[in-house]
Amino acid sequence: MDLNILYEDEEILVVEKPVGIESQTARSFEPDMVSEVKKHINTLSPKQGEPYVGVIHRLDKPVGGVMVYAKTKGAAESLSSQVSRHQMEKIYYAVVCGKPVENFGAYVDYLWKDGKNNCSKIVDKGIKGAKLAELHYQVVENKNIGNEECSLTKITLKTGRHHQIRVQMAGHGTPLWGDRKYNPKVQKNTASGNVALFAYSLSFFHPVTKKRLNFTVSPKGEAFEMFGIFY
């Protein structure tokens, strides 16, 4: 796998995660981003021992986009602290089925993760294990795909919960195009498991220089190609 590296120095590596690749170490023999990053570091500077690669955030396997990995423990601590203090800005594009009631808005829900079935659900605030989930969205363009109205939506994550965008958009009546887990109109046995969700932009402070860095990658995939703004 050829890595599309957007930036690299001694502390961090910013890379585009392809659709269909796990963002952390996989339990199978399939490629995963951590293994590929380690191979890249070893190729650049072979040395004894396994290189350190810190996972700061995650993208679902069927979702592509910008990710940052730490190459030192100090960088990992700094970046993880930015995540917990909401200083790392993540912007996504999604194609949803239907159209949100408003062109601009925010969803604030409580999500509960069902680890046994690898899914999350919107629940009441008082449920044990429920976590606050917040995102802001903007409808960019509407288009009919087949016989269904779809909306290209720009989403800014304020929290980072398991399957958050997929769960919240579905829970508010506009599930993601191609999402077999949360979109009831998508057949579970379809060949394509790609979800029309892409991590477009990532912004954070460099762990050493403290300079604000921003990286963007245009969304890829069939659903996004139906909208003209990226191509």
Side-chain angles (χ1 to χ4, degrees):
M1 188 174 83
D2 293 328
L3 292 177
N4 178 20
I5 296 172
L6 308 177
Y7 177 85
E8 183 177 14
D9 60 21
E10 293 298 318
E11 301 292 329
I12 61 173
L13 183 143
V14 182
V15 64
E16 176 186 357
K17 184 189 93 65
V19 169
I21 303 295
E22 295 282 5
S23 58
Q24 57 189 332
T25 303
R27 296 175 183 174
S28 66
F29 294 104
E30 296 178 5
D32 65 82
M33 289 301 295
V34 171
S35 299
E36 295 301 318
V37 169
K38 287 181 178 180
K39 278 194 261 183
H40 166 75
I41 295 172
N42 267 330
T43 301
L44 285 184
S45 54
K47 60 182 182 181
Q48 289 186 342
E50 194 171 356
Y52 177 84
V53 175
V55 178
I56 309 303
H57 59 122
R58 295 164 179 81
L59 292 177
D60 298 342
K61 184 176 180 178
V63 178
V66 186
M67 296 193 69
V68 60
Y69 290 91
K71 295 171 66 176
T72 67
K73 290 184 178 180
E77 291 175 3
S78 172
L79 293 171
S80 296
S81 175
Q82 291 181 53
V83 171
S84 63
R85 290 181 294 179
H86 307 294
Q87 293 177 330
M88 183 175 286
E89 185 180 62
K90 306 171 190 175
I91 299 175
Y92 294 73
Y93 276 97
V95 177
V96 301
C97 297
K99 182 181 182 297
V101 177
E102 303 291 341
N103 286 328
F104 297 85
Y107 294 147
V108 180
D109 300 294
Y110 283 85
L111 301 189
W112 174 77
K113 180 180 178 181
D114 179 354
K116 182 178 179 180
N117 295 303
N118 190 31
C119 66
S120 290
K121 302 173 183 177
I122 295 177
V123 296
D124 293 333
K125 180 180 179 179
I127 297 295
K128 183 179 180 180
K131 294 183 178 180
L132 178 70
E134 179 180 356
L135 63 78
H136 294 197
Y137 71 85
Q138 172 190 350
V139 177
V140 179
E141 187 179 349
N142 298 106
K143 183 168 287 191
N144 284 331
I145 299 178
N147 297 319
E148 187 168 19
E149 181 185 25
C150 293
S151 304
L152 177 66
T153 311
K154 186 178 182 180
I155 297 170
T156 302
L157 267 188
K158 297 300 181 180
T159 55
R161 306 303 181 200
H162 179 255
H163 293 174
Q164 180 179 337
I165 294 174
R166 298 164 67 183
V167 176
Q168 286 192 279
M169 298 309 287
H172 289 272
T174 54
L176 269 63
W177 189 91
D179 193 344
R180 291 186 292 177
K181 190 176 286 284
Y182 298 104
N183 188 340
K185 293 183 180 180
V186 179
Q187 296 295 320
K188 303 293 183 184
N189 59 355
T190 51
S192 174
N194 294 343
V195 179
L197 178 63
F198 198 91
Y200 163 76
S201 172
L202 185 67
S203 179
F204 56 89
F205 293 103
H206 190 280
V208 174
T209 68
K210 307 307 178 185
K211 179 182 177 182
R212 188 76 180 177
L213 303 176
N214 183 70
F215 303 93
T216 61
V217 173
S218 292
K220 297 174 177 63
E222 178 186 354
F224 295 107
E225 292 172 3
M226 299 178 189
F227 295 87
I229 72 169
F230 302 112
Y231 303 93

